[in-house]
Amino acid sequence: MRYSPAMAVGSWLIPFGNLYLPKQIADDVWHASSPPSPTGATAPRTRLNIWWGCWVFTMLTSPLYYWEAIVWADADNLKSESSGTSGVDYDWWYTHELGTTGWLAVTLHLLVVPIVVATALYVSRLTTLQQAHRGSPKT
């Protein structure tokens, strides 16, 4: 392992370092968790790379989520409507219209779903590797 356990936690908090240090630590954990093979190859890193790519994408686009939410919240998106009849208890009501900005905010928030799925698949595979590694004979 290239880094200490404290660095595994702290690396997420280092500006710009959090774009590559956690990946290096994850690579080390993946390598150490892979069961030994006769050729010395580790398990394929596909899930690790997909997880990291999704995480970096989410990290780089996350300011857009907050910006779009703030713009939508500040926008005048209330629309008042009338029932058109008098004598009804509720003559007026208000509805929110998402509009272009609102739908963009919703879409940006939905783009976080792949990171959740990729993380679950990565953790599942890493757990399986560690269990196999723990059960394998030491060389």
Side-chain angles (χ1 to χ4, degrees):
M1 300 288 210
R2 291 180 265 189
Y3 300 101
S4 69
M7 187 62 172
V9 173
S11 66
W12 293 95
L13 305 174
I14 299 170
F16 300 108
N18 63 0
L19 295 175
Y20 66 92
L21 289 173
K23 172 67 163 75
Q24 290 178 343
I25 294 167
D27 283 336
D28 291 349
V29 171
W30 189 271
H31 180 73
S33 300
S34 292
S37 69
T39 62
T42 61
R45 297 172 188 246
T46 306
R47 289 188 186 183
L48 170 64
N49 294 331
I50 290 172
W51 164 71
W52 189 253
C54 287
W55 187 86
V56 168
F57 175 78
T58 301
M59 177 74 169
L60 294 176
T61 59
S62 65
L64 294 175
Y65 307 147
Y66 303 113
W67 180 79
E68 285 298 327
I70 289 168
V71 168
W72 182 77
D74 288 343
D76 183 20
N77 56 11
L78 284 177
K79 179 182 174 189
S80 63
E81 298 183 22
S82 172
S83 64
T85 60
S86 60
V88 179
D89 290 340
Y90 301 103
D91 284 339
W92 293 90
W93 64 89
Y94 293 94
T95 58
H96 283 278
E97 291 183 348
L98 283 177
T100 305
T101 303
W103 281 111
L104 184 57
V106 169
T107 303
L108 288 170
H109 279 80
L110 289 176
L111 289 176
V112 176
V113 172
I115 185 68
V116 173
V117 174
T119 301
L121 292 172
Y122 166 65
V123 169
S124 171
R125 180 67 175 137
L126 185 61
T127 302
T128 303
L129 287 174
Q130 289 176 343
Q131 290 171 345
H133 185 71
R134 187 176 49 215
S136 66
K138 303 286 185 206
T139 56

